Amino acid sequence: MRMRGCVPVVLIAAFCAEAAAVRGGWISSDDYASLNAVVADSASDSEKLAAREFADLWKQATGKGVYVSNVPYLKRGVIVWIGQDGVPDELLGYVKPGELGPDGYCIRTLYLKKAKQGHLAIFGGKERGTMYGVYAFFEDYFGIRFLAPDYTHIPKKPPASLPDIDVRYVPPILRRQTAHGIHGLQAYSEDQRAAFQRHMRWSSSPECGLPAHSAFTLLPPGKYFAEHPDFYSEINGKRIAPTGFDPNRPAMAAPPPEWQSQLCFSNPKVAEAIAAELRPLMQAHPDKTVWSVSPMEWDGRCECPGCKAIDEAEDSPMGSILTGVNRVADAIKSDFPNNFIETLACQWTLKPPRNLRPRDNVIVNVCAVDVDYSRPLHDKKTSELQPFAGILAEWSKIAHNVHVWDYPANGYYSPIPFPCFDAIGANLAFYARHNVKGVLSLGGDLLTDDLGVLRCYLVSRLMWQPNADAQAVMDEFIRLYYEDAAPFIREYIALAAKTVRDKGAYLHSLGKGEWMDADFVSRADEIFRGALASSVPDIVKQRIEDAYCSIRYAAIVCPPKVTIADGKISLDRPPCMSVEDYIAHVGERGARSPDPNVSLPDYIMARTGKTAPPRHEESPIITLENEKHLAWVAPALKGSVVRWNAKAQAAELLRGHEAYGSAPGTLQEWTSAPPLPEGPAADTYEVVEGSQNRLVLRAARADGLQIERTMELKPGSDSLDITLVLANASDKPLPANVKIHPEFYAADTPEIWAPIRGVWQRQNAQNDGTARTSGRFIPAEDATRVACWMPEKKLAVECGGDAQDLGGLFWYVNTAPDARQCNLEALPKSDPIEPGAKRILRVCYSVSSRHPSAK
């Protein structure tokens, strides 16, 4: 008999499948000590590791040792063949190893003639398939579960016998990755990390040569813009690029809004330049087969005639992007036939082009960033499809290589409760049905995430087997991992899901948990206290504490109960840990900052504030009113304008008085200091002057910046006039990073208009369900006004400023059901404020029933 890679042994005889019918299985517990695992000398490193793993897991499961050798051992009657090389032809049967791909496997049993012992073969792709076959064998036939990096569940008793096996499996999703492998495993040893990645079947292949959002890494504006401005976006008639921006510095999350642009992808010379940059990189890194050519992580799309014509013809901004990407793919194909060019379909580039098709060597990563994770993409009970589902289905029809970036965890701060467990399995099955070949599942810190260990396990198992019973997988994990406390964990999951469902909340991956309320947090806290009081070992109590971190955070930041009575607004929140204690607690649990340039305390305080909000807050309501408008201002609540009622239109423009903190609806000053999140510039303001038509507020910050805001509703006026004065009382220059930040309520998708160089033009595209959010900065030199037309109210809110003061305007729209907001922000000039100096910004917000296009 021929044996590939092994020395022929007399023991090997003809195999007989009929013998299997005589026995109830291929081995009984009496023979568990008689195994010889055979792995050929020519086997891959992964296959040799698989043989060692087989012996180790067999020992843990049965208590019996396994003899591992490169040829069958005569004194061991039961032979287990590990890997492709050396497996007798009879055991290969109908399976050709090449058909299994890198990750697929086959497990088969047969018998020697006139012998009681059976033979077992586990073989598959030499890269990982054989190893995955070993893990599947112990999972499926011994009940072993690789639950967490530091916990593998081994049943106390092995089965009395093992059945005959003939299994072949090739995973439909070939590229399986999760951010848990980046951030969440750092608290573990290197061996634990490597083993867990194998057990979860995470696939790091193909290797990527560049990170996503690579446009400015490939063609840095500092290198190319001076001589080739045509390589970069034309916006409002001008070519712009952030020449001082370094995309390789993680601390620089984005350039200032006025410099946010992209490459001019319709320009053939841009594709030539990108290919020229890629060729030496590809030659220097032959192990990396995927190279990103994708837009930067903001809008700034090019509006030149070439890009505009393509985008209009293709009915999508992806038209010009894919035109350039295809040209790059064509340029490198002959020299690098096994390499791929990868690009992103995300938010404004999400919609597929009408006629263009990606080349065969192009990977399209379709990003699910605007999905509502409170429900599946395709609800089979109602046959309802989310907009993203239709978009993905269209991409799957036109692209050979569709991958998905999935977001089944909170990306703003991963410990925020994120009850999407009902959607995880259904969505991954949907991806598999639509021929998605790769999934990157964005997670977080693993231990202190909202049930991060469960989320990681569930996502990983279902990326591997998308058609598995997700509920059964989750229930089993909870039972094994939390033991007698499992009912409490199930109750918490059900509570969170019901709260989101009852509120009709939109569970967005970048949300701040606005759906949470004091009642939910209080009940969840009771559940976790009950879990900790249950009769479980200390190690399980530690796991409960890890999960409890989410509710400890939620208690700090959850929106308050709002009460308005006797001329004041009151906010009440549940009890909580101090921010300092919370940071220490999650640090002890193994939490790490996802951003290497920001410490864990700074990262957390950017999301909590330096101190927890008071459990009870109240502020007098100061009323500004004229014949046409009514505004309520709460000075002690971050100086918020919590209500603005346009009397003539009977419209509530700001709704902070209804749901302060749980939905957009206030006007405040905000500050921005990337890479930290934006937020209110000061916690409380004093009243300097007040009357029915005029109010002056003032706040002093610890860095020496003094903020003074004057608001006026002059008699008979259609506008709220605001004067913002920023004074530097320190002895060093301070950034002028404070802006006026209103969040207007817009029930339907608003239209954004601006008079670019004197001509009113629509700024946001017609919403087609492909993106919930959009926004853009408008430099003051291009326009000093911007307007939001609200179709449902038939009114326009316009923001305008003095050109001498204004640095620019920024509009932002979020159409998610629990947001429905339109921001018209005004920014002062951005140069630093010198010690003793002031910066003044004068802005008016006016309301009318006249459409901006009629002006």
Side-chain angles (χ1 to χ4, degrees), residues 164-381:
D164 299 320
I165 304 170
D166 190 352
V167 173
R168 178 181 182 272
Y169 184 72
V170 178
I173 298 175
L174 303 180
R175 189 178 179 189
R176 304 168 304 279
Q177 297 174 300
T178 170
H180 284 295
I182 301 172
H183 304 302
L185 300 183
Q186 301 311 308
Y188 299 98
S189 70
E190 185 175 347
D191 288 346
Q192 283 178 313
R193 293 199 297 269
F196 191 63
Q197 290 181 37
R198 296 195 304 269
H199 295 156
M200 293 298 99
R201 280 76 150 177
W202 297 342
S203 169
S204 59
S205 178
E207 292 289 337
C208 299
L210 287 172
H213 305 295
S214 60
F216 289 170
T217 300
L218 289 162
L219 301 184
K223 176 180 178 181
Y224 284 98
F225 184 73
E227 293 187 14
H228 300 282
D230 58 315
F231 281 12
Y232 301 89
S233 290
E234 179 181 311
I235 298 176
N236 295 328
K238 296 181 300 183
R239 297 283 180 175
I240 65 171
T243 54
F245 174 68
D246 182 358
N248 297 312
R249 288 178 57 194
M252 298 187 69
E258 63 268 29
W259 293 109
Q260 291 181 8
S261 67
Q262 301 286 350
L263 296 178
C264 178
F265 280 94
S266 71
N267 185 345
K269 293 182 179 179
V270 168
E272 293 174 8
I274 291 175
E277 291 282 350
L278 281 177
R279 286 190 184 96
L281 294 174
M282 291 178 171
Q283 290 170 349
H285 301 281
D287 57 317
K288 300 185 185 303
T289 57
V290 175
W291 296 83
S292 172
V293 178
S294 52
M296 300 305 293
E297 197 172 6
W298 47 79
D299 195 330
R301 69 192 78 174
C302 184
E303 300 170 349
C304 77
C307 287
K308 190 173 182 180
I310 294 173
D311 292 346
E312 289 179 353
E314 296 295 337
D315 193 28
S316 169
M318 191 60 172
S320 54
I321 304 291
L322 188 57
T323 295
V325 168
N326 277 346
R327 286 171 177 161
V328 175
D330 290 341
I332 61 95
K333 186 172 184 178
S334 60
D335 293 332
F336 303 95
N338 297 319
N339 284 10
F340 291 85
I341 299 299
E342 183 178 67
T343 196
L344 295 175
C346 183
Q347 290 194 322
W348 59 276
T349 64
L350 183 60
K351 186 178 181 181
R354 179 181 294 161
N355 301 304
L356 276 174
R357 299 294 181 261
R359 299 290 192 263
D360 290 353
N361 60 334
V362 167
I363 295 172
V364 180
N365 279 321
V366 188
C367 301
V369 68
D370 287 310
V371 162
D372 178 3
Y373 281 92
S374 70
R375 56 197 177 97
L377 286 170
H378 180 202
D379 189 336
K380 292 184 178 180
K381 295 180 181 179

